[in-house]
Amino acid sequence: MQDKITQVFKAIADPTRRDIFHALVIASAALSISQISNQFDITRQGITKHIKTLEEAGLVHIESKGRERFCNVNTNPLKELNKWLKFYEQFWDDSLEDLGNYLDTKNP
Amino acid sequence: MQDKITQVFKAIADPTRRDIFHALVIASAALSISQISNQFDITRQGITKHIKTLEEAGLVHIESKGRERFCNVNTNPLKELNKWLKFYEQFWDDSLEDLGNYLDTKNP
DNA sequence: TTAATACGCAACTAATTGGTTGCTAAATTA
DNA sequence: TAATTTAGCAACCAATTAGTTGCGTATTAA
């Protein structure tokens, strides 16, 4: 099994999954599998597989209600990616504004 | 062909490539293919393939000198990932994350 | 009670991935 | 000049991925 951060990176490395994830975030409500697949050109089963990947990365949490399964989004695992990126931020060659932001986070 | 941000996400989604990338960053000098492969347990050809992926994502730039090929790292493409994450930052929930950490320590 | 809906599971496929070995060519060193 | 080092290329392989179709089952609606 891969480590957590790899799971999250791989989950969002796929453009379709990023789209599903985004759809869930802007919906600001739990969406059923069918509701999601209606928005995409791939089959419901294809969506289910993507959802499972997102779920395993902790980006989606599923709640069953009757015959439906509602997908709740959770953006928190993205914090790990942010933390990973943070280290390399110091090597970006950038404008003074961004350097300022960096120094602010270093010296709050 | 995939779009740029997908290329960058996929490049760093692989743990070996993250390690190679990290090795290049902390080396703060260009490393040859052999110098890199000496640090890993996979073959030189394996490393070459990973380097190519990183190169196509813009995270590595190669400079030939004699029979050697030196890999220069470039962290700038990571800015795109940061920008992508930025949008979802507003949905992060600090208390839930703390609860998650708490549960992790309770159930390791 | 029957029909429709929402979904999971399994099997299958084609393409991609991460890795290997074997070979060749160019550049450097002895 | 001969041997060694650095590296690319091609072929191959096993595992994974992104997607499909077909079918069975539970839940809801008519």
Side-chain angles (χ1 to χ4, degrees):
Chain A
M1 175 50 94
Q2 8 184 38
D3 58 17
K4 193 59 195 285
I5 193 167
T6 301
Q7 271 185 306
V8 181
F9 265 131
K10 290 209 165 159
I12 57 156
D14 182 87
T16 303
R17 277 193 296 268
R18 279 202 306 281
D19 288 346
I20 294 173
F21 180 74
H22 190 78
L24 283 170
V25 166
I26 62 170
S28 54
L31 298 180
S32 71
I33 302 285
S34 291
Q35 283 175 323
I36 296 168
S37 25
N38 285 342
Q39 301 183 36
F40 293 87
D41 280 340
I42 58 181
T43 60
R44 177 180 54 82
Q45 287 83 348
I47 295 289
T48 297
K49 283 198 180 182
H50 282 308
I51 291 288
K52 200 180 168 194
T53 304
L54 289 167
E55 197 188 5
E56 282 164 358
L59 293 163
V60 159
H61 167 247
I62 294 180
E63 217 176 332
S64 290
K65 267 181 194 163
R67 67 184 162 186
E68 288 172 291
R69 278 160 45 87
F70 289 97
C71 303
N72 299 271
V73 78
N74 176 17
T75 62
N76 287 328
L78 296 182
K79 287 185 195 175
E80 277 302 307
L81 308 196
N82 207 54
K83 225 169 73 186
W84 185 88
L85 281 173
K86 210 78 191 165
F87 173 77
Y88 301 102
E89 204 168 312
Q90 60 188 300
F91 304 102
W92 295 351
D93 56 79
D94 223 328
S95 65
L96 281 177
E97 189 193 334
D98 287 347
L99 176 64
N101 290 339
Y102 166 68
L103 292 176
D104 285 346
T105 59
K106 277 287 208 177
N107 313 302
Chain B
M1 175 49 93
Q2 7 185 37
D3 58 16
K4 192 60 195 285
I5 193 167
T6 301
Q7 272 187 306
V8 180
F9 265 130
K10 292 211 162 158
I12 56 155
D14 182 87
T16 305
R17 278 193 295 269
R18 280 202 305 282
D19 288 346
I20 294 173
F21 180 74
H22 190 78
L24 283 169
V25 166
I26 63 171
S28 53
L31 298 180
S32 71
I33 301 286
S34 291
Q35 283 176 323
I36 297 169
S37 26
N38 285 342
Q39 302 184 35
F40 293 87
D41 280 340
I42 58 181
T43 59
R44 178 178 52 81
Q45 287 82 349
I47 294 289
T48 298
K49 281 196 181 181
H50 282 308
I51 290 290
K52 200 179 167 192
T53 303
L54 290 167
E55 196 188 5
E56 281 164 359
L59 293 162
V60 159
H61 167 247
I62 294 180
E63 216 177 333
S64 290
K65 263 181 196 163
R67 66 184 164 186
E68 288 172 293
R69 279 160 47 86
F70 289 97
C71 303
N72 300 271
V73 78
N74 176 19
T75 62
N76 288 328
L78 297 182
K79 288 185 201 172
E80 277 302 306
L81 308 195
N82 207 53
K83 225 169 74 187
W84 185 88
L85 282 173
K86 210 78 189 165
F87 173 76
Y88 301 102
E89 204 168 313
Q90 62 187 299
F91 304 101
W92 291 354
D93 186 316
D94 284 328
S95 56
L96 276 181
E97 173 72 3
D98 291 345
L99 175 65
N101 290 338
Y102 170 70
L103 292 175
D104 284 346
T105 57
K106 286 221 91 169
N107 313 304

